[in-house]
Amino acid sequence: DAGITQSPRHKVTETGTPVTLRCHQTENHRYMYWYRQDPGHGLRLIHYSYGVKDTDKGEVSDGYSVSRSKTEDFLLTLESATSSQTSVYFCAISDRTGGSEQYFGPGTRLTVT
Amino acid sequence: TQLLEQSPQFLSIQEGENLTVYCNSSSVFSSLQWYRQEPGEGPVLLVTVVTGGEVKKLKRLTFQFGDARKDSSLHITAAQPGDTGLYLCAGQNSGGSNYKLTFGKGTLLTVNP
């Protein structure tokens, strides 16, 4: 299994508070992704990174920001959490030279009350 | 925007039955992947198909990529309770951002003993 960890695994926070989720990989893969998974919507891409300090928006990026200061870590920040951001968040990694396959972390369940 | 439609959305069958899950699009994909996700975990890659018309077998699972690379199917023979899970198809974009995947919404399979 690809070495991907996410922290925290569960979090409950209040509306309006900032939240940062962390994804850490030990595979030295170039590409990293943040998805959210909601019933009826499947997996939707929030942001992705194609290298250190190189990031771009996905299809549901509003209200989220990311940072990647080193290869192994990709942070997702909710600047001011809203109830609509209650979801399960997955990080994934990919090595383009190995194809397009993505390997997923275990997920973070975030509840915004 | 490239979309992938999966059908059926839900499927409940008895142990020993056969089933087929479909993944369809009007767009062409460079490759297509199938993932399985169990409750509380991240998706796990099952297979990647690349060539139009390609068929791959993984024990009791048979995956097929359509000749035009716009659709795919997953057939399970003699389903077992351990096959229960959410099955996701994902297509690699054929154009510019070919390190991103487009995911279907998934088929939730329940195999009853």
Side-chain angles (χ1 to χ4, degrees):
Chain A
D1 291 342
I4 312 168
T5 56
Q6 292 184 231
S7 58
R9 293 293 314 279
H10 302 271
K11 186 171 182 66
V12 180
T13 192
E14 293 183 349
T15 299
T17 60
V19 177
T20 295
L21 308 183
R22 180 182 184 237
C23 177
H24 179 77
Q25 61 145 328
T26 58
E27 304 298 316
N28 200 36
H29 281 7
R30 177 181 176 185
Y31 299 92
M32 298 186 75
Y33 310 82
W34 276 108
Y35 292 90
R36 59 178 291 174
Q37 187 174 39
D38 305 285
H41 292 279
L43 280 166
R44 293 182 290 174
L45 182 65
I46 304 171
H47 281 281
Y48 62 98
S49 170
Y50 46 95
V52 174
K53 298 186 179 180
D54 291 323
T55 65
D56 205 349
K57 297 178 179 180
E59 61 181 299
V60 290
S61 60
D62 287 350
Y64 302 94
S65 62
V66 290
S67 67
R68 191 169 179 200
S69 59
K70 46 186 177 179
T71 299
E72 56 266 36
D73 289 325
F74 193 31
L75 303 181
L76 177 70
T77 297
L78 291 65
E79 300 291 346
S80 178
T82 67
S83 58
S84 65
Q85 293 176 312
T86 292
S87 186
V88 181
Y89 291 85
F90 288 100
C91 173
I93 64 174
S94 175
D95 180 355
R96 185 176 181 180
T97 58
S100 62
E101 291 88 350
Q102 294 186 10
Y103 302 93
F104 286 81
T108 294
R109 181 172 294 277
L110 176 68
T111 302
V112 183
T113 62
Chain B
T1 303
Q2 296 178 296
L3 297 175
L4 276 170
E5 299 286 341
Q6 283 190 244
S7 61
Q9 186 177 357
F10 300 97
L11 188 56
S12 181
I13 62 171
Q14 294 300 121
E15 182 175 1
E17 293 182 356
N18 301 332
L19 67 113
T20 301
V21 175
Y22 300 93
C23 178
N24 296 296
S25 177
S26 58
S27 303
V28 175
F29 290 98
S30 299
S31 67
L32 196 135
Q33 297 156 24
W34 285 92
Y35 294 80
R36 185 172 76 193
Q37 184 179 16
E38 298 189 14
E41 300 180 7
V44 175
L45 179 69
L46 295 175
V47 76
T48 299
V49 286
V50 179
T51 306
E54 181 177 4
V55 176
K56 281 191 175 180
K57 293 190 175 183
L58 183 64
K59 297 183 180 179
R60 294 176 293 100
L61 280 60
T62 301
F63 305 86
Q64 185 164 5
F65 201 13
D67 290 342
R69 290 185 290 133
K70 293 182 179 181
D71 55 84
S72 181
S73 64
L74 158 61
H75 182 79
I76 301 179
T77 303
Q80 299 177 1
D83 295 325
T84 293
L86 179 67
Y87 289 82
L88 297 160
C89 66
Q92 179 184 8
N93 300 328
S94 58
S97 300
N98 59 356
Y99 42 83
K100 292 195 294 182
L101 295 177
T102 298
F103 280 86
K105 293 182 180 181
T107 293
L108 185 59
L109 172 65
T110 302
V111 182
N112 302 299

